[in-house]
Amino acid sequence: MQVKIVSKNFDIPLSHTLDVARANGRYQTLETLFSKSPDAIISEVEKSGLRGKGGGGALTGEKWRLIPSPSDKPTYLVVNADESEPGTFKDRQILEFDPHLLIEGIICSSYAIGAHHAYIYMRGEYVFWAKRVQEAIDEAYEAGILGTHVLGHDYALHVTLHRGGGAYICGEKTALLESLEGKRGHPRLKPKGKEPEWFFGCPTVVNNVETISSVPFIVREGFEAYRAYGTPESPGTMLFGISGHVEKPGVYELPYGTPMTKVIDELCGGILNGGKLKAVIPGGSSVHILRADEIENITLDYESVKAHGSSLGTGGMIVMDESVSIPHVMKNLFEFYHHESCGQCTPCREGTGWVDAILGKILDGKGTKKDLETILDVCDMLNGKTICVFAPSVAFIAQSYLKKFKEEFEALLK
Amino acid sequence: MSAFALSPENAAKFQALLERYPEKSSLMLPSLWMVQYQEGWISPEAMQFLAKKLECSAMDVYSVASFYTMFNLKPVGKVHIQLCKTLSCMLRGSGAMQAHIENRLGIKPGQTTNDGKFTFSLVECLGSCGTAPCMSYNDDYVENLTIETLDTLIDKELSCK
Ligand SMILES: Cc1cc2nc3c(=O)[nH]c(=O)nc-3n(C[C@H](O)[C@H](O)[C@H](O)COP(=O)(O)O)c2cc1C
Ligand code: SF4
Ligand code: FES
């Protein structure tokens, strides 16, 4: 079931050190890379159908094409290592076990978009992982893999690791860039048409750690080799993280299209202590919850999960057994969203708090039918005009909890 | 007037970082980290110092520092225990861990013990959901947390003079 493209070296002892990484294939892509033009590299990635692994699933090649070429300003690559979506813990496996794969991916991607400086924005809590990656960057500089001439080629690249300060919203790409510029992590207004991101007014690409780490394989083996895995619309593989009530939680690299029940029952050893499955949140906490009866025919690709009423998101699956109270789950998540709203938009800042408070009242046994209606009204408000998609996605998930587990909420009313 | 200054080592680091960003303002978070590692927290004096260094107002520094949860705007205990309370950890027993920490330390989330040894906080998802429950113990993650591990860590710290 598992396919190891990105996770190939994870189990090798000392895989994070340069010598071991090199002995196991790292940086061998660079000869192929520099024998081709940046444009040819972008084409290869376009044809591979590589989709962003940070939650949105956007086509990576399409995004790279938005960078003007030639550009009269410097261009930048920013790697999103903020990994804060509840249920998501996959990027840290790459940071821990194969930081040189990430650096190799950064070299390929930066070359393609004409960037000479890349930043890795890592969540502040990842202290151990920041050290790991910084050590790998230092080793790479020392070996001439980074710097003024990447492995002796006429191409300069610098990589700088930047630590966040603890704020979920900084995973959103424009908030991340604001933060990288030294400001509060406030998402920016969306532009009307398609454009690149902007770092100090310069065209910039923001990609997730895993997306960037998937690039060397495509450059080396070609787009067809990547497309040999997965489905036509979701080609390749993804690191799926499974947590909650399963016997063997963890991160597994799987081709898109793998049946969800097979992953839970076989790879993860089934439900914890022989329990019974109640629900799954398939792609990080911000996607619709699915009841046990809804997952039977789901395969892990963007299209199938969407057709079943949720999203693949970050591939972080949270599994819950029958002992779980869904109103408690929803309360837990609304505490999170209330805490993490960046506060720029009034509906989001206040609305998340109201829902949290109402859920508290319901759990205390003091809720009424009117309160459930109020939650839905607040959701309508969250769904209005806010700067980023945080508020509308919170509204959508609230509606899904109330709709799918209505009886559980009603049973708590006075 | 400001009693704060970066250590010579950090001052050199600051200088080196200037070359790695298109604009100075990007040094905001790296500088706040330097201050916090140097002093344990970010004092108003340190913010005034950074404002000068970064050519902005002390209010700008405060506005940024207060936005991010990891910057301590008041001193914390020698050990800062930050327990994850989000969903995957809740499903795997973070509630029992919280009760045990409160019981052992005699404090609630957000408080520091009288001897200044421990500060206890609840935090949101640490990105360690597959090895839940999880907490950070100063800079280190403690994963697959149990009551026994908690006792070992707390006892060890308490036995330090
Ligand atoms: C509220 C919010 C939080 C996000 N958090 C993350 C994150 O922690 N890591 C990440 O890679 N992408 C995150 N994203 C997605 C990013 O905005 C962006 O789409 C992504 O980094 C692009 O990279 P990709 O195309 O390679 O996935 C988040 C988006 C939103 C709206
Ligand atoms: S929707 Fe919420 S998180 Fe997004 S910008 Fe507005 S207040 Fe901030
Ligand atoms: S929910 Fe606790 S680490 Fe993710």
Side-chain angles (χ1 to χ4, degrees), chain A residues 84-89 92 123 243 318 332, chain B residues 83-91 94 123-135 141:
Chain A
S84 322
E85 172 79 7
T88 311
F89 50 100
R92 62 176 262 196
R123 64 175 301 173
S243 64
I318 307 171
N332 181 280
Chain B
L83 178 71
C84 173
K85 62 181 275 290
T86 315
L87 184 54
S88 299
C89 286
M90 174 183 109
L91 295 173
S94 62
V123 293
E124 300 293 354
C125 181
L126 289 169
S128 202
C129 328
T131 43
C134 173
M135 70 174 189
Y141 274 27

Side-chain angles (χ1 to χ4, degrees), chain A residues 89 92 117 119 123 125-126 141 159-160 162 164-166 179-181 183-185 200 243-246 332 335, chain B residues 20-22 25-26 33 63 67-70 85 87-88 90-92 124-130 141 143:
Chain A
F89 50 100
R92 62 176 262 196
H117 205 132
Y119 296 90
R123 64 175 301 173
E125 292 86 349
Y126 276 5
Y141 267 104
V159 176
T160 300
H162 192 94
S179 177
L180 190 59
E181 291 182 4
K183 295 176 255 177
R184 292 179 147 224
F200 288 120
S243 64
H245 293 143
V246 289
N332 181 280
E335 285 173 17
Chain B
R20 303 203 72 95
Y21 296 92
S25 64
S26 280
W33 276 122
S63 155
F67 181 81
Y68 298 91
T69 52
M70 294 185 75
K85 62 181 275 290
L87 184 54
S88 299
M90 174 183 109
L91 295 173
R92 299 299 291 244
E124 300 293 354
C125 181
L126 289 169
S128 202
C129 328
Y141 274 27
E143 303 175 39

Side-chain angles (χ1 to χ4, degrees), chain B residues 23-140:
Chain B
E23 310 229 357
K24 207 179 209 174
S25 64
S26 280
L27 267 69
M28 180 70 87
L29 293 191
S31 321
L32 287 167
W33 276 122
M34 280 186 229
V35 171
Q36 181 147 313
Y37 275 106
Q38 189 179 308
E39 307 289 312
W41 68 297
I42 295 159
S43 63
E45 291 75 28
M47 290 191 211
Q48 277 169 359
F49 177 89
L50 288 186
K52 268 212 187 111
K53 280 283 238 192
L54 297 167
E55 294 167 44
C56 61
S57 70
M59 198 56 217
D60 291 334
V61 180
Y62 174 77
S63 155
V64 174
S66 60
F67 181 81
Y68 298 91
T69 52
M70 294 185 75
F71 297 121
N72 304 322
L73 301 185
K74 54 179 200 220
V76 294
K78 184 173 156 231
V79 170
H80 194 179
I81 291 182
Q82 305 189 64
L83 178 71
C84 173
K85 62 181 275 290
T86 315
L87 184 54
S88 299
C89 286
M90 174 183 109
L91 295 173
R92 299 299 291 244
S94 62
M97 300 301 139
Q98 179 183 344
H100 192 71
I101 294 169
E102 289 177 359
N103 194 11
R104 283 286 326 253
L105 302 181
I107 52 174
K108 291 282 176 197
Q111 297 179 336
T112 301
T113 51
N114 287 334
D115 60 3
K117 275 193 171 164
F118 294 97
T119 298
F120 173 45
S121 310
L122 290 175
V123 293
E124 300 293 354
C125 181
L126 289 169
S128 202
C129 328
T131 43
C134 173
M135 70 174 189
S136 71
Y137 188 88
N138 287 339
D139 275 353
D140 299 323

Side-chain angles (χ1 to χ4, degrees), chain A residues 88-106:
Chain A
T88 311
F89 50 100
K90 65 186 181 68
D91 294 336
R92 62 176 262 196
Q93 316 294 326
I94 299 174
L95 307 173
E96 180 165 347
F97 298 113
D98 209 349
H100 287 289
L101 174 63
L102 175 61
I103 297 173
E104 191 177 18
I106 290 173

Side-chain angles (χ1 to χ4, degrees), chain A residues 4 7 39 45 143 188 233 240 283 309 313 317 344 377:
Chain A
K4 299 195 171 180
S7 59
D39 186 73
V45 170
R188 297 170 180 167
E233 281 166 294
F240 289 94
M317 291 162 49
Q344 273 192 104
D377 288 344

